[in-house]
Amino acid sequence: MSVNLTTAQLLENRQVHRAVLDNGMVVLAVENSAADIVSARIFVRAGGRYEPPEQAGLSHLLASVLTKGTGNLSSLEIAERVESVGAGLGADAAADYCILSLKTVSADFAEMLELAAQLLRSPSLPEAEVELERRLTLQGIRSMQEQPFSIAQKQLRQAMYQQHPYALPSLGTEETVAQISREDLQQYHQTYFRPDNFVVSIVGRIAPEEAIALVDQIFGDWQVPLTAEGEVPLPSLTLPTITSHPKRVISTQDTQQAIVMLGYLAAAVHNPDYAALKLLNTYLGNGLSSRLFVELREKRGLAYEVSAFYPTRLDASQFVVYMGTAPSNTAIALDGLRQEVERLCTTPLTQEELQSAKNKLLGQYALGKQTNAQIAQIFGWYEILGLGIEFDQQFQVEIANVTAETLQTTAHQYFAEPYVSLVGPAIAIDQIATPAIS
Amino acid sequence: MIHQNIPTTSVVAVDVWVRAGAIAEPEPWAGMAHFLEHMVFKGTDRLLPGQFDQVIEDRGGMTNAATSHDYAHYFINTTAPHLAETLPCLADLLLNAAIPDDEFERERDVVLEEIRQANDDPDWLAFQALIESVYQSHPYGRPVLGDEVGLMQRSPQEMRCFHRAHYQPENMTVVVIGNVTQSQTLDLVNQAFSQFPVRPTCPAAIADAEPPITEIRRQELHLPRLEQARLMMAWIGPGVDQLRNAYGLDLLSVLLAGSRSSRLVRELREDRQLVQAIGSEFSLQRDSSLFTISAWLAPENVDRVEALIGDRLSELTTTPISDAELTRYKRLLCNDYAFSTETAIQLAGLYGYYNTIAQAETAVDYPNQIQTFKAEELQHLASQYLSPYHYAATILKPL
């Protein structure tokens, strides 16, 4: 099978260096001298997936407060230090990891990495900052209700993931966020923020050996927590298995457009079906030549935004197709989306369609690895998910090897009955004859 | 044509900028420039509708377009070996857009969906109301998307006229950046962009200069489904004929609300805790720029926050900025410039934009200009442009 090698091998002359420090911390470094800047992405194996359901939003709240105080620096002092060298520093939480992102001009990198280390190792989590960020988070949760797309996504996720932590938004819910205490944040920090649970990924104008030595110098003396019996093990996670029970979830909202969303439970990243599903997602919903775009927008004018997404997840993911459409078109839109997905189960792609989808996926994958930050992100992410940096190549080979037959079998296996999520005015909802089952 | 060879990448970005944004529309044709940008992708005598997208994406590339008041631009992000096949297709679309009648009707439905989607976004609604209030004479006050009533009255014939009148060499900048030599680029561009359409007579746009705001223009809108209020304030800034003043306002914008240590974020979000978020933006436009401060907050805090922002603007005109603060924001802007010029497509966008509203060379000079600002000049600019008594404000509150 031929691949578009020129674009797929964008990084071939740049080597990814990987080192493991004595304390278990993984360091990745790629030299890119094109510009006088360095980006770092520091990943922690924590995030939404690791939160107890009654503490949903814990990772997000910790990330918000993490940059707002250490033993000897106040929130304002931290902000001034970062901004006085024109750097960028921010923390965030995702479903499968927490992350601190950093970008600086090369000369300031060491100083900023040192500051980042202080924040990550010994945040003071000031009570007043916890309260401020909690209030802002609660308002943020309410504000998501202003966006029809967010409402559709939220109710779909809840229906599909049931008791699994992926069911809840990363901000948490009003109930859970109201309850999280400063002690909960400390406890969570102590449990997961430890060197053997970290990946530091650095890309830019810095020699790999230098980058690795710098991380060792700054983080090397940080030890994994010990008790008399030895190292404290990381908690083992038992998450509920998710089974598919398709249903309809509906919000009646006085909007100008109806959002129609179909979701199917889909494979986790470690599953052998991952590559085929990614390719199906590209073929169906990515770009101006995708099937959904051509059939539903170009040929029928039903939508401005019509697309598909299949996020990369450690646990079961979701394969979602959606569009926003005039309320009077809701039934047609639902039908159209469904037909296009089902066509993948019944009709194999032609060789040309298959090759085009591969070229598109691999070409755009390569275009997504241009900036220092993008390169640092992708390798660090593969490492924290347990895929290893080799996954970059492996994924491209797997995509190149997918056959039309595999795509059809995979589609058939995953795309049986969809979950349906609808948001729109009553005239949109009324078109969908079957009442909500809840 | 603008070209930069970057031999260390395998990527090539092409970005074509056309001085045919919403300000080129005669008033009854509002929305035409943006609708045309959609229709350009509907092909020519040689390319079927959608075929161009396929040509680009089948080769692993990406393409898209955008329209604003000052411009429409169309870009491809591809790799060096595919440039020779893809660039001529883009040129064909831009020069020979067929605008078929049946596609016109169908694509209008897509644009109407785009308008519906935007209408469900309260921030978009607030911003439209704000610019309408700021620009009462100049077309910068019109929505780029147009509206349903107006679009229903337009014909494919009128669009073909608009296209042929404006997609002409003196209005176009072709930017090619990446792993391609200058001579290759020149050959390709010369060949692809040679046959321009015959110019029709087309109704001209009238762009009246906008008189300064001499009062506080306040409007309050009440929307359903709103979870928090918005306060958006705007001031008219200089056009590109006073580029240095524009850069100074850029600096004032980050100093006021561009980062966590900036004055308004620190005071209103962190200390007094009166807002959920606050930000400011300076958008450079050819005829007159726009300086905005936007806050997301509880309805009961709107008046107090508006008054406090006014006080802080007064301070800017009376008290010089300290050296430490000035140095910090200069550095922040210069580094942001470095962070946003890493890739071919970013550079192509930057040069193309500047060349469309001014000259490409000025884009490169930006960091040097920023570095030379002193406190007195900024103080003077604040009193010239950011009056606490002359501005437009749009307030959104829940129904």
Side-chain angles (χ1 to χ4, degrees):
Chain A
M1 200 61 58
S2 78
V3 245
N4 191 334
L5 286 173
T6 334
T7 50
Q9 303 289 322
L10 202 64
L11 270 182
E12 67 180 352
N13 52 0
R14 280 192 211 134
Q15 223 183 327
V16 185
H17 295 254
R18 182 180 184 277
V20 184
L21 306 186
D22 289 343
N23 59 16
M25 184 179 278
V26 175
V27 188
L28 307 176
V30 179
E31 185 169 4
N32 175 18
S33 305
D36 185 26
I37 54 182
V38 179
S39 281
R41 290 277 199 269
I42 304 177
F43 290 82
V44 190
R45 210 167 281 110
R49 182 173 178 266
Y50 301 84
E51 294 169 350
E54 67 281 7
Q55 292 184 354
L58 190 59
S59 318
H60 178 269
L61 191 56
L62 177 64
S64 309
V65 187
L66 195 76
T67 61
K68 303 197 82 176
T70 68
N72 47 8
L73 293 173
S74 70
S75 172
L76 179 61
E77 285 166 337
I78 293 165
E80 285 185 346
R81 271 222 200 174
V82 173
E83 292 165 21
S84 64
V85 296
L89 185 155
D92 210 348
D96 293 334
Y97 58 86
C98 289
I99 188 162
L100 185 140
S101 312
L102 181 64
K103 55 182 181 180
T104 73
V105 294
S106 314
D108 303 323
F109 182 65
E111 186 197 336
M112 282 298 109
L113 188 65
E114 194 137 12
L115 176 64
Q118 277 187 53
L119 302 174
L120 289 161
R121 291 174 62 169
S122 42
S124 55
L125 311 177
E127 192 72 60
E129 297 292 345
V130 175
E131 287 316 309
L132 169 59
E133 293 301 332
R134 181 206 311 282
R135 252 181 356 89
L136 295 174
T137 304
L138 289 170
Q139 181 56 50
I141 293 169
R142 289 189 285 269
S143 294
M144 283 172 63
Q145 291 296 115
E146 288 179 350
Q147 301 160 14
F149 177 82
S150 296
I151 302 172
Q153 219 186 348
K154 184 176 157 193
Q155 66 188 15
L156 179 69
R157 219 172 21 214
Q158 234 153 15
M160 291 178 79
Y161 284 115
Q162 306 135 32
Q163 300 308 309
H164 191 283
Y166 287 172
L168 300 171
S170 84
L171 292 183
T173 67
E174 290 196 65
E175 296 70 42
T176 60
V177 172
Q179 283 171 21
I180 298 171
S181 68
R182 177 169 180 268
E183 288 64 44
D184 295 331
L185 295 175
Q186 279 176 318
Q187 175 68 40
Y188 181 74
H189 177 265
Q190 264 169 28
T191 308
Y192 293 104
F193 283 55
R194 45 188 268 181
D196 57 345
N197 215 25
F198 264 57
V199 173
V200 180
S201 180
I202 298 171
V203 180
R205 192 178 284 180
I206 181 169
E209 312 75 50
E210 199 189 317
I212 292 165
L214 187 65
V215 176
D216 192 31
Q217 183 196 318
I218 292 172
F219 287 96
D221 64 341
W222 192 18
Q223 294 303 320
V224 169
L226 282 175
T227 61
E229 293 91 59
E231 285 186 3
V232 179
L234 277 157
S236 60
L237 206 58
T238 3
L239 293 175
T241 32
I242 308 153
T243 48
S244 184
H245 304 284
K247 57 176 180 174
R248 286 182 173 181
V249 279
I250 292 168
S251 284
T252 310
Q253 297 270 333
D254 191 17
T255 52
Q256 291 215 3
Q257 260 197 339
I259 305 290
V260 183
M261 205 177 253
L262 271 60
Y264 303 84
L265 269 183
V269 64
H270 289 279
N271 187 302
D273 299 329
Y274 173 76
L277 283 163
K278 273 286 176 200
L279 194 55
L280 284 168
N281 177 66
T282 295
Y283 176 72
L284 200 57
N286 184 350
L288 311 183
S289 65
S290 71
R291 183 178 274 181
L292 293 178
F293 192 95
V294 171
E295 295 298 326
L296 303 177
R297 176 174 152 162
E298 293 211 289
K299 293 193 185 162
R300 297 172 70 186
L302 287 172
Y304 170 66
E305 189 172 339
V306 51
S307 189
F309 57 90
Y310 166 49
T312 299
R313 289 281 180 271
L314 276 175
D315 295 316
S317 184
Q318 45 176 197
F319 191 106
V320 177
V321 296
Y322 72 94
M323 75 162 109
T325 193
S328 55
N329 286 333
T330 306
I332 302 170
L334 178 59
D335 202 45
L337 286 169
R338 227 186 135 153
Q339 273 181 24
E340 292 309 329
V341 176
E342 281 167 8
R343 186 137 70 102
L344 296 170
C345 309
T346 53
T347 318
L349 267 57
T350 65
Q351 278 311 305
E352 294 75 48
E353 287 172 325
L354 177 68
Q355 193 56 50
S356 293
K358 288 179 182 182
N359 290 349
K360 173 154 59 160
L361 190 156
L362 293 172
Q364 297 190 357
Y365 181 73
L367 289 173
K369 290 189 293 187
Q370 289 189 77
T371 66
N372 290 334
Q374 287 171 331
I375 301 168
Q377 172 73 27
I378 202 156
F379 287 100
W381 184 42
Y382 287 161
E383 187 69 33
I384 205 77
L385 294 182
L387 299 160
I389 52 177
E390 314 74 42
F391 189 71
D392 176 54
Q393 285 302 314
Q394 186 194 321
F395 173 63
Q396 297 177 61
V397 171
E398 281 177 22
I399 290 294
N401 289 332
V402 174
T403 63
E405 197 190 349
T406 312
L407 285 183
Q408 193 182 352
T409 320
T410 310
H412 194 75
Q413 183 185 339
Y414 287 91
F415 306 150
E417 186 70 18
Y419 287 82
V420 177
S421 173
L422 289 174
V423 176
I427 62 149
I429 307 300
D430 290 349
Q431 290 171 37
I432 310 304
T434 325
I437 314 153
S438 50
Chain B
M1 189 200 85
I2 298 167
H3 165 259
Q4 184 178 331
N5 184 5
I6 309 178
T8 51
T9 175
S10 56
V11 173
V12 178
V14 181
D15 201 344
V16 181
W17 289 72
V18 196
R19 272 185 217 106
I23 60 168
E25 299 159 347
E27 199 176 349
W29 288 18
M32 182 70 94
H34 166 261
F35 186 10
L36 169 61
E37 173 232 297
H38 279 242
M39 287 306 294
V40 160
F41 288 89
K42 294 297 182 178
T44 65
D45 294 346
R46 268 162 301 193
L47 288 166
L48 292 169
Q51 197 183 346
F52 171 75
D53 309 331
Q54 223 173 350
V55 167
I56 303 299
E57 295 186 349
D58 282 0
R59 288 161 182 73
M62 285 164 82
T63 179
N64 218 326
T67 306
S68 187
H69 289 101
D70 284 332
Y71 60 82
H73 80 116
Y74 303 79
F75 60 88
I76 0 181
N77 212 349
T78 186
T79 46
H82 298 305
L83 182 67
E85 311 156 87
T86 51
L87 187 140
C89 294
L90 178 61
D92 187 27
L93 284 190
L94 291 169
L95 271 45
N96 306 312
I99 311 173
D101 290 358
D102 55 338
E103 294 290 341
F104 180 91
E105 307 244 315
R106 203 163 19 233
E107 194 63 18
R108 188 164 54 196
D109 287 343
V110 173
V111 175
L112 296 181
E113 288 303 334
E114 191 175 358
I115 293 173
R116 271 186 209 107
Q117 181 173 337
N119 281 333
D120 280 334
D121 176 357
D123 293 308
W124 185 87
L125 289 173
F127 186 72
Q128 294 306 315
L130 181 69
I131 58 170
E132 209 176 299
S133 153
V134 169
Y135 295 108
Q136 303 193 334
S137 317
H138 195 282
Y140 285 157
R142 292 204 297 246
V144 172
L145 297 180
D147 62 34
E148 179 163 4
V149 175
L151 289 173
M152 292 311 289
Q153 290 166 26
R154 300 283 65 82
S155 71
Q157 186 48 42
E158 289 166 339
M159 185 180 280
R160 287 190 279 267
C161 173
F162 183 84
H163 169 251
R164 285 164 201 169
H166 295 282
Y167 283 53
Q168 293 290 347
E170 72 277 12
N171 290 329
M172 288 170 107
T173 303
V174 182
V175 194
V176 181
I177 311 268
N179 193 353
V180 55
T181 65
Q182 187 173 346
S183 63
Q184 271 175 291
T185 308
L186 265 176
D187 287 349
L188 267 172
V189 173
N190 265 327
Q191 196 157 26
F193 290 86
S194 52
Q195 296 288 321
F196 281 82
V198 178
R199 289 162 205 261
T201 38
C202 184
I206 305 157
D208 286 334
E210 187 64 35
I213 301 176
T214 51
E215 71 275 276
I216 297 177
R217 293 179 191 159
R218 193 179 284 107
Q219 57 175 340
E220 196 167 305
L221 306 176
H222 293 261
L223 297 186
R225 308 184 52 256
L226 211 60
E227 298 286 337
Q228 61 184 335
R230 270 79 164 166
L231 165 66
M232 293 194 182
M233 299 162 77
W235 291 260
I236 293 179
V240 290
D241 51 344
Q242 296 165 75
L243 208 50
R244 178 153 177 98
N245 288 354
Y247 290 163
L249 287 172
D250 216 8
L251 198 44
L252 287 169
S253 156
V254 281
L255 176 136
L256 277 169
S259 71
R260 212 168 91 193
S261 74
S262 64
R263 293 183 177 186
L264 296 173
V265 174
R266 196 158 114 191
E267 178 176 359
L268 300 175
R269 181 190 191 267
E270 308 280 319
D271 294 344
R272 296 183 191 250
Q273 309 192 355
L274 290 170
V275 301
Q276 167 80 9
I278 184 161
S280 64
E281 195 166 343
F282 177 75
S283 13
L284 182 62
Q285 301 186 116
R286 191 191 68 189
D287 299 342
S288 91
S289 296
L290 191 66
F291 189 104
T292 52
I293 297 177
S294 311
W296 290 259
L297 68 180
E300 61 271 21
N301 291 335
V302 168
D303 294 344
R304 197 165 156 216
V305 167
E306 188 178 341
L308 283 165
I309 291 172
D311 290 350
R312 299 304 157 255
L313 292 176
S314 292
E315 271 171 34
L316 272 183
T317 65
T318 53
T319 318
I321 300 159
S322 76
D323 283 349
E325 205 183 359
L326 187 54
T327 312
R328 180 157 79 230
Y329 295 109
K330 283 181 181 176
R331 215 153 159 200
L332 207 58
L333 275 186
C334 291
N335 286 8
D336 274 351
Y337 181 87
F339 296 139
S340 57
T341 48
E342 273 189 86
T343 62
I345 194 79
Q346 290 172 319
L347 284 169
L350 180 74
Y351 298 153
Y353 175 63
Y354 270 87
N355 205 56
T356 300
I357 62 165
Q359 299 81 37
E361 296 76 19
T362 48
V364 196
D365 193 37
Y366 176 85
N368 298 328
Q369 288 284 337
I370 291 293
Q371 285 302 344
T372 56
F373 275 98
K374 299 219 161 55
E376 304 78 68
E377 190 178 356
L378 292 169
Q379 193 176 342
H380 179 72
L381 285 175
S383 43
Q384 187 181 350
Y385 291 104
L386 304 178
S387 161
Y389 310 106
H390 305 151
Y391 61 89
T394 297
I395 293 148
L396 292 192
K397 285 186 180 168
L399 258 187

